[in-house]
Amino acid sequence: MENRIILHIDMDAFFPAIEQRENPQFRGLPVVVGADPKQGRGRGGVSSASYEARKFGIHSAMPISQAYKLCPEAIYLPPNFELYSKVSGNIMEIMRGFSEVMEQVSLDEAYIDVSKNFTIVNKTSEKDVWKKAEEFAGKIRKAIWEQENLTCSCGVGPNKMIAKIACEKAKPDGILMVKADEAEVFLEPLDVQKIPGIGVKTAQILRASKLNTVGDLKRLSQDDMEELFGIRGEAMYWKVRGIDEAPVVAEREVKSVGKEHTFEQDTRDPELLIQTFEELSREVAREIEEEGFSFKTITVVCRFTGFETHTKSKTFKQPSKSSAVLRAEAMKLLLKFIVEKQKFIRLIGVRVAC
């Protein structure tokens, strides 16, 4: 896995950017895509916010009522997933025109392995090769802008992890290149939560032990890391040193179908919960039947009072198209939530993925 060059391309504020493109009068204004705020009484969440809206502190997954308090004058729009999916398809097709070794990871982001395009032969050629890779990324961004009138950012790095983190730092509408010999130093000052696999709870535990930055975490031995992270310890030991061997999986088709429902009032009424969930499951089943879509993983999400959100999943050894299997297994997961958590429920949802 040596001498790789990976690009991570991510569209900038994808949903709001499309809305601003389709509605020029919204350009330069704070746009929030998500649930209806209902003058601050709405109970859904923010799907995405334009950079103008982010200046007010609005971000994805924030309660829509809180977003409204931060910026009541913003333009609040319901998601148009049909349009977003169509635009996503166009953008991914543009990227595939530049390289066959591309892995789409969501509607608006993908990895491209350009190692074969720009082979590093020796130290003398290395600088030129990285520069050409950066120029190549610029050509992709230019093509997306010219054909779709949307901006994107790109990280160029020796692996997927570095490329993704570099892309985040390049936003919006920029390129950041981090070469292999720069990766370790690049990571050191960053917050520990920037490392994939370190979530909010783990980060809190680390900070309590004065392990705030990647550099702090790097001081631990491999044995310490394995004690801290279990079976992920060895991988984490190398990640904090800028090493990530995860391959770019070419032509990975991302498919998922999901539905959610936010209750007007938090509830533990079993009849209402089960009735609503069965309808969500039927809608998902109808959609996968119409698309001829097979699934391997079922995920159920529950958001409780106070916005405490949890998921439960089941993955099968073989793909299935059975709506009966979907509905039965999803219901089992929901019932576990109801039994285990004696809290009122704000939102329920079900999603299947290949």
Side-chain angles (χ1 to χ4, degrees):
M1 291 275 181
E2 292 182 359
N3 296 333
R4 290 195 300 163
I5 301 180
I6 309 298
L7 312 184
H8 182 258
I9 296 176
D10 191 5
M11 303 306 296
D12 297 323
F14 190 46
F15 297 172
I18 293 174
E19 297 292 352
Q20 289 173 320
R21 183 192 72 176
E22 297 297 303
N23 303 277
Q25 69 272 24
F26 296 161
R27 287 177 182 167
L29 300 177
V31 173
V32 179
V33 175
D36 183 350
K38 297 181 181 177
Q39 303 295 308
R41 299 186 303 277
R43 293 177 52 78
V46 174
S47 292
S48 185
S50 69
Y51 285 99
E52 296 86 354
R54 294 179 194 188
K55 291 177 182 177
F56 292 88
I58 299 173
H59 57 79
S60 60
M62 172 181 281
I64 199 71
S65 56
Q66 186 178 342
Y68 189 83
K69 289 175 184 175
L70 292 171
C71 186
E73 66 272 22
I75 296 158
Y76 292 88
L77 301 170
N80 185 347
F81 290 115
E82 185 177 350
L83 174 61
Y84 306 155
S85 295
K86 181 181 178 182
V87 176
S88 170
N90 295 343
I91 289 167
M92 296 303 156
E93 203 56 40
I94 293 169
M95 291 191 205
R96 289 188 183 96
F98 284 86
S99 175
E100 293 180 356
V101 190
M102 189 196 89
E103 178 182 352
Q104 181 182 351
V105 291
S106 70
L107 278 179
D108 62 344
E109 61 181 321
Y111 293 100
I112 299 177
D113 190 332
V114 297
S115 305
K116 291 182 179 178
N117 302 59
F118 308 102
T119 306
I120 299 172
V121 179
N122 51 45
K123 282 290 182 182
T124 306
S125 71
E126 187 170 355
K127 184 176 180 181
D128 290 339
V129 166
W130 280 97
K131 184 63 179 174
K132 288 176 181 177
E134 186 179 28
E135 291 170 354
F136 187 76
K139 290 177 182 177
I140 297 174
R141 293 176 66 243
K142 184 182 178 194
I144 292 172
W145 170 254
E146 290 177 345
Q147 296 180 47
E148 287 296 324
N149 197 23
L150 293 168
T151 66
C152 65
S153 298
C154 180
V156 185
N159 53 56
K160 291 168 75 173
M161 179 185 71
I162 297 296
K164 182 175 176 62
I165 297 172
C167 184
E168 290 173 1
K169 292 186 80 67
K171 284 185 167 292
D173 194 20
I175 298 180
L176 179 60
M177 180 173 69
V178 179
K179 294 184 286 187
D181 60 358
E182 301 168 340
E184 196 166 350
V185 174
F186 168 71
L187 290 177
E188 284 181 353
L190 302 182
D191 187 276
V192 288
Q193 210 171 325
K194 289 293 182 183
I195 298 296
I198 298 181
V200 176
K201 290 184 179 179
T202 303
Q204 288 173 346
I205 294 170
L206 294 174
R207 292 186 190 113
S209 301
K210 299 189 186 306
L211 298 170
N212 299 302
T213 68
V214 177
D216 294 335
L217 200 53
K218 202 172 75 169
R219 291 200 295 268
L220 299 183
S221 68
Q222 186 168 329
D223 287 342
D224 290 336
M225 294 288 272
E226 288 175 359
E227 185 176 340
L228 192 58
F229 293 100
I231 59 172
R232 299 184 298 140
E234 183 180 358
M236 283 293 178
Y237 177 83
W238 293 111
K239 280 184 177 181
V240 299
R241 287 161 175 77
I243 299 170
D244 171 29
E245 295 192 346
V248 173
V249 183
E251 294 302 321
R252 173 185 169 190
E253 189 175 9
V254 176
K255 277 194 174 183
S256 67
V257 177
K259 301 289 180 183
E260 292 181 346
H261 177 81
T262 301
F263 296 102
E264 287 297 327
Q265 291 185 335
D266 297 358
T267 182
R268 277 197 62 80
D269 181 341
E271 186 176 350
L272 176 60
L273 289 167
I274 290 171
Q275 200 173 57
T276 304
F277 191 76
E278 283 182 339
E279 180 54 34
L280 292 175
S281 298
R282 279 195 291 270
E283 288 179 20
V284 172
R286 277 197 296 269
E287 195 164 330
I288 64 174
E289 186 177 352
E290 289 170 2
E291 295 188 8
F293 172 55
S294 298
F295 60 89
K296 284 189 72 174
T297 301
I298 300 172
T299 301
V300 171
V301 60
C302 259
R303 182 169 297 150
F304 298 92
T305 298
F307 291 92
E308 179 186 345
T309 305
H310 296 276
T311 61
K312 289 184 183 293
S313 298
K314 177 165 184 177
T315 299
F316 304 96
K317 290 183 178 179
Q318 298 297 327
S320 174
K321 292 185 178 181
S322 170
S323 60
V325 168
L326 161 61
R327 292 165 63 186
E329 295 299 332
M331 184 59 71
K332 289 178 186 176
L333 295 173
L334 176 70
L335 292 175
K336 285 183 181 179
F337 273 124
I338 296 174
V339 171
E340 292 172 5
K341 290 271 186 185
Q342 301 300 313
K343 292 185 176 182
F344 279 71
I345 295 174
R346 178 185 183 89
L347 172 149
I348 54 174
V350 59
R351 181 174 69 251
V352 295
C354 59

